[in-house]
Amino acid sequence: MKNGIISKVVRNCNKDGLIKALHLFSRKSFKFWEKYFSLHITPAHFYSPIPVTYELDSSVFEKIYDGTGIEWNLNEQLKYLQEIFPKYYEEYTQRWTPSIGQVRG
């Protein structure tokens, strides 16, 4: 009986099977990693805006960008900070609980 189960597992242990097992494991363990380690794991794929950094050439991290073409509009940002943020001061100064995303009053 054991040989039958083991042979089925070995036969089905291909790349697709491993990927399915990893997806199942990641879905089941997400809350654990989030709750106890404040760690969010996102899948890496072509459409994700988060790059797979080990696939990037190291020169990407060495380049210094000067910000040409970016309109910082500092006066407008300062005005926003001075006029809008004070209205919400209480909301963003509350203490965070150990659980991710829950605010204690």
Side-chain angles (χ1 to χ4, degrees):
M1 176 121 175
K2 285 185 180 180
N3 289 338
I5 294 171
I6 293 172
S7 64
K8 284 182 182 179
V9 170
V10 170
R11 237 182 298 134
N12 292 316
C13 191
N14 57 24
K15 183 179 179 183
D16 292 334
L18 288 173
I19 289 172
K20 287 179 184 176
L22 285 172
H23 281 278
L24 177 65
F25 173 76
S26 65
R27 283 193 305 266
K28 298 291 182 183
S29 65
F30 180 82
K31 288 184 180 182
F32 169 80
W33 292 105
E34 179 184 42
K35 182 176 181 180
Y36 296 106
F37 297 101
S38 299
L39 180 65
H40 289 246
I41 301 171
T42 58
H45 55 80
F46 179 77
Y47 296 105
S48 174
I50 303 170
V52 180
T53 55
Y54 69 83
E55 292 178 353
L56 297 174
D57 189 279
S58 63
S59 63
V60 170
F61 301 102
E62 296 167 0
K63 186 173 181 179
I64 297 174
Y65 295 92
D66 62 1
T68 300
I70 298 175
E71 177 55 56
W72 296 104
N73 204 357
L74 294 178
N75 290 334
E76 198 63 33
Q77 290 186 40
L78 286 172
K79 179 181 168 187
Y80 184 78
L81 283 171
Q82 293 165 348
E83 293 177 8
I84 304 296
F85 274 18
K87 297 176 188 175
Y88 303 99
Y89 177 79
E90 290 298 319
E91 288 183 21
Y92 64 85
T93 57
Q94 291 180 353
R95 299 178 62 161
W96 291 92
T97 63
S99 302
I100 304 282
Q102 296 177 348
V103 179
R104 181 179 0 157

